[in-house]
Amino acid sequence: MSVIKYQQTFHAIDSFLHGLKPLWQLVAFECDHLPWQHAFPHLAQTVWQLDDAEIDILDSDQQHLVDALLPSLIADIQQGQFANKEQLINQLSLLVITLPTSAINSDDAHDVPYIEPLANEHQNSDFAHFSAHIKGRKWQQISAFAEQVDPQHHTQLPLLPILEWCAGKGHLGRLVAKLQKVEVTSIEWQASLCAQGQVFAKQWQLPQTFICADAFAPIDSSKPLLLIDQHAIALHACGDLHVRLLKLAVSAGTRVLSISPCCYHLIEGTHYQPLSALAKVSAVKLSKHDLQLPLQQSVIAGTKKQTLRNQEISWRLGFDSLQRKIRDIDAYLSVPTIKKSQLSGNFSDFCQWAANQKHLVISSEINLSHYLHRGIERQRLTKRIDLVAHLFRRALEHWLLLDRVCFLQEQGYQVTLTEFCANSVTPRNALIQAIKTN
């Protein structure tokens, strides 16, 4: 996709998210009713007609979720007070926007066949032994990512020394070193992981060297981490960590970058700091809470797990209503994580535990059964608020990805945004690849 097309897509998503932000930019736990029910009455009626169990099923599949709610949303837009009704309706396809499964060496990413993960190509004892200590799904991610950064498969990628960012034990870097036969420098801040990774590299006699360093520490100009003739890679570097890599690489003029972002909400500030010129002038402003939206997708759990999860949420919401009454402050109060064993007691036990954690006193005159019922009601409400917000999780993630893409383009890189593996392997399957052109 060209520079202009990425920019046009960003503008479309940006306009769409801003136009419908009352549906997704909110905190469900803070609501005591559907906050958008008057502006979107058809949507409100539809979500209240859904069975609670049906919500979990819909939430696990973006296409089914959109199919279920789209007619009501269209009806509300058509009948509502929107100045740009036709544009909004046309942009609803962004709710199921997807990435092409392709490589950087194509002008039209959609025309390139997807390369099967390495794990399916190398069914020999050598690779089976190489990956023996890596969990199956993690190995699938690593091998698929390694394929996409390999010049043997993508001819526009130059063969360069590799810098592996936030390496952990260096599983990815080790595989890349084996496949490409190039030097790999793996940066990781935990010394124990570096030590384990170095043992593995030595065992396989691979040119992989670990640097134990804090990615956020000031860079020693005499020992720069990022170089010009280098290919920097990062698989699932969280929040500020992958943003730090982008900024350092751009500053150094690093020739090639391949990153898969993750956990956008793990940032130091309270709000998202845009990278590209386009995002910096956007009316869409994102809090840490907003940045969690792309990561929210239900996984269909077993009956027992689902029951415990629903119980915990309803108890927490019930206590939240109680603490507001006790403190006479209408504001959410965070309660620590509990052990699952604590859910074997009753709601009264939980409230007493939570009150002790927050140094509150529960009067004997308080009717706790009322607050348990209130918690169950609020859980049903929050599930429906979240379900509608989840319509926009894919669009918001694309907004964040395109901010990174446009930033790199502004810095003189040729950039592609694709998938490196199937969504079933990991929902965080986006791959940003950039080659310095000037």
Side-chain angles (χ1 to χ4, degrees):
M1 190 180 289
S2 68
V3 172
I4 293 176
K5 287 184 179 178
Y6 278 128
Q7 291 177 345
Q8 288 176 342
T9 304
F10 179 86
H11 278 302
I13 296 175
D14 186 63
S15 170
F16 176 65
L17 288 174
H18 185 256
L20 293 176
K21 67 179 182 179
L23 293 175
W24 62 268
Q25 199 164 41
L26 73 180
V27 181
F29 269 33
E30 295 179 353
C31 302
D32 58 8
H33 65 281
L34 293 177
W36 36 258
Q37 61 189 14
H38 295 301
F40 298 89
H42 294 90
L43 191 57
Q45 182 180 17
T46 297
V47 296
W48 277 119
Q49 289 174 342
L50 293 173
D51 181 80
D52 287 357
E54 187 180 1
I55 288 177
D56 293 325
I57 295 171
L58 288 175
D59 196 36
S60 67
D61 187 300
Q62 186 71 13
Q63 185 63 61
H64 289 167
L65 173 59
V66 172
D67 291 344
L69 301 187
L70 193 59
S72 301
L73 181 54
I74 290 174
D76 285 329
I77 293 174
Q78 288 175 332
Q79 298 174 23
Q81 302 299 313
F82 296 95
N84 53 343
K85 294 181 182 181
E86 290 303 316
Q87 177 179 306
L88 277 177
I89 290 173
N90 289 336
Q91 290 173 341
L92 288 172
S93 60
L94 295 170
L95 296 174
V96 287
I97 188 171
T98 58
L99 297 173
T101 52
S102 67
I104 199 168
N105 59 328
S106 171
D107 292 329
D108 186 348
H110 291 275
D111 292 340
V112 178
Y114 180 55
I115 297 172
E116 287 298 319
L118 177 147
N120 294 332
E121 256 184 45
H122 298 272
Q123 298 294 340
N124 55 53
S125 59
D126 187 33
F127 274 95
H129 184 57
F130 190 88
S131 62
H133 55 287
I134 307 172
K135 292 182 179 179
R137 188 160 293 183
K138 184 64 176 177
W139 171 247
Q140 286 181 280
Q141 296 169 27
I142 289 170
S143 58
F145 192 93
E147 287 274 13
Q148 296 295 328
V149 302
D150 193 339
Q152 296 178 76
H153 297 289
H154 309 297
T155 55
Q156 285 195 14
L157 291 173
L159 188 65
L160 293 168
I162 298 290
L163 175 75
E164 182 189 16
W165 191 253
C166 301
K169 296 179 184 178
H171 295 320
L172 172 63
R174 189 162 59 258
L175 179 58
V176 170
K178 183 175 177 64
L179 292 174
Q180 298 189 27
K181 297 178 174 56
V182 294
E183 291 186 0
V184 174
T185 301
S186 297
I187 296 176
E188 168 59 41
W189 74 275
Q190 295 188 64
S192 61
L193 299 183
C194 291
Q196 293 177 65
Q198 199 67 70
V199 169
F200 284 129
K202 184 177 180 181
Q203 175 186 340
W204 285 90
Q205 298 181 320
L206 295 172
Q208 181 184 25
T209 303
F210 280 78
I211 296 177
C212 187
D214 181 355
F216 296 115
I219 301 299
D220 184 347
S221 58
S222 66
K223 297 178 182 178
L225 297 177
L226 277 294
L227 306 174
I228 293 176
D229 289 322
Q230 203 171 48
H231 183 172
I233 63 174
L235 172 57
H236 294 160
C238 295
D240 278 343
L241 283 169
H242 72 257
V243 171
R244 172 73 165 163
L245 173 60
L246 291 178
K247 291 180 177 179
L248 288 177
V250 163
S251 178
T254 301
R255 284 176 62 190
V256 186
L257 290 93
S258 300
I259 71 165
S260 177
C262 188
C263 301
Y264 304 96
H265 63 291
L266 296 181
I267 58 176
E268 184 179 0
T270 59
H271 285 74
Y272 178 69
Q273 301 299 313
L275 296 171
S276 67
L278 291 179
K280 286 178 179 178
V281 298
S282 167
V284 174
K285 309 300 179 185
L286 303 172
S287 67
K288 276 188 178 181
H289 177 80
D290 297 331
L291 294 172
Q292 294 182 54
L293 180 58
L295 311 177
Q296 295 172 2
Q297 185 162 352
S298 291
V299 176
I300 302 302
T303 303
K304 185 176 181 180
K305 273 190 173 181
Q306 190 66 42
T307 299
L308 285 175
R309 191 177 108 182
N310 289 337
Q311 178 182 315
E312 180 178 353
I313 293 173
S314 63
W315 283 11
R316 284 180 174 275
L317 288 169
F319 176 77
D320 180 62
S321 295
L322 172 61
Q323 65 83 16
R324 291 172 192 245
K325 175 69 174 178
I326 293 173
R327 297 193 304 146
D328 196 25
I329 299 175
D330 191 19
Y332 179 71
L333 184 66
S334 177
V335 174
T337 302
I338 66 170
K339 297 177 181 178
K340 294 304 177 187
S341 59
Q342 290 176 260
L343 296 173
S344 62
N346 55 42
F347 179 63
S348 176
D349 296 332
F350 173 81
C351 287
Q352 192 58 59
W353 169 83
N356 291 340
Q357 298 298 310
K358 296 299 176 180
H359 308 291
L360 300 177
V361 177
I362 301 176
S363 168
S364 59
E365 298 177 359
I366 290 178
N367 181 4
L368 288 179
S369 62
H370 164 76
Y371 289 100
L372 174 58
H373 180 68
R374 180 70 183 126
I376 293 171
E377 288 182 332
R378 285 186 63 191
Q379 184 201 22
R380 297 190 71 239
L381 172 67
T382 58
K383 286 185 76 165
R384 285 155 177 81
I385 294 173
D386 283 335
L387 186 72
V388 171
H390 291 174
L391 281 170
F392 300 86
R393 58 193 168 197
R394 191 170 288 179
L396 180 56
E397 181 158 21
H398 274 68
W399 188 98
L400 292 164
L401 290 166
L402 287 171
D403 180 30
R404 287 146 178 77
V405 167
C406 292
F407 168 72
L408 289 168
Q409 288 178 329
E410 291 164 5
Q411 306 303 318
Y413 285 85
Q414 172 201 346
V415 190
T416 60
L417 175 60
T418 61
E419 291 181 359
F420 71 90
C421 69
N423 185 269
S424 58
V425 176
T426 173
R428 306 280 75 74
N429 61 351
L431 171 64
I432 297 173
Q433 285 193 300
I435 297 177
K436 186 72 173 175
T437 57
N438 56 53

